[in-house]
Amino acid sequence: MNLHVGRKLMRIREMRGVNQEVLAESLGMSRQAVSKLEQSETIDEIMLSRIAKALNVTPDQIKNFTEEGVIYNIQNNYDNASCNQGPNYQGTFYLLDEYKKEVKENKKLYEALLKEKEEQIVLLTKMLESK
C-alpha cells in the first residue's frame, strides 16, 4: 500500500496548492531536494513527519493517499449536499471584504508613514540649514 510515497507526496502538495519552493522553504531545504523526495519510493519517518506537518496532514494520510480515496471523499461529501438552498457565497465574499479592509488599512498606515517621513526630512533640512 505504501507504493511510491514520493508521488503521493507530490499529489498531496499539488492538491494543497503548495509549490515545491514553498514546501522547500518551510522544510529548510532546496527545491531540488523536495523534487528528489518526490521521486523517491520511500521517505524516512522523520522527514515524512516534517513534510506532513508542513502540508497540514498526517504522515498516514501521505502513506495511504489514493486518487480513488479523494474521488470517494468528494462524492460522499459534496454530491449528496442539498442544492435547493441556492449558492452560498457568503464565506467567499466575507473573506474578500476582510481582505479589502486590510488593504485599505495598510494603505492608510503606509500614507501615515510617508507623511511622517516627509515631516522628518523637512525638520532635518531646517536643522541643517540653521547650522
Side-chain angles (χ1 to χ4, degrees), residues 7-114:
R7 283 193 198 124
K8 294 176 182 189
L9 161 63
M10 180 181 70
R11 287 297 294 138
I12 291 171
R13 177 185 57 75
E14 289 171 345
M15 292 175 83
R16 305 289 276 171
V18 176
N19 64 32
Q20 286 182 339
E21 289 179 18
V22 171
L23 181 58
E25 186 176 314
S26 67
L27 295 171
M29 59 176 52
S30 68
R31 187 201 57 76
Q32 291 82 1
V34 170
S35 177
K36 189 174 179 180
L37 283 170
E38 290 179 351
Q39 295 170 17
S40 302
E41 285 193 40
T42 61
I43 299 174
D44 72 82
E45 290 297 319
I46 295 170
M47 179 56 71
L48 192 62
S49 293
R50 290 181 58 210
I51 293 167
K53 184 176 181 181
L55 293 174
N56 200 24
V57 296
T58 66
D60 285 338
Q61 286 174 315
I62 295 174
K63 289 186 224 175
N64 300 324
F65 174 83
T66 63
E67 297 285 337
E68 294 81 16
V70 172
I71 293 168
Y72 177 81
N73 186 23
I74 291 170
Q75 286 176 333
N76 285 317
N77 290 314
Y78 301 104
D79 285 352
N80 296 328
S82 174
C83 295
N84 297 330
Q85 298 174 2
N88 183 3
Y89 298 112
Q90 183 178 1
T92 304
F93 287 131
Y94 172 75
L95 291 174
L96 185 57
D97 289 341
E98 288 298 310
Y99 176 75
K100 287 179 181 179
K101 287 179 188 175
E102 291 296 322
V103 168
K104 286 180 183 178
E105 183 64 28
N106 283 344
K107 185 177 177 182
K108 287 179 187 176
L109 290 171
Y110 180 72
E111 289 170 351
L113 284 171
L114 282 178

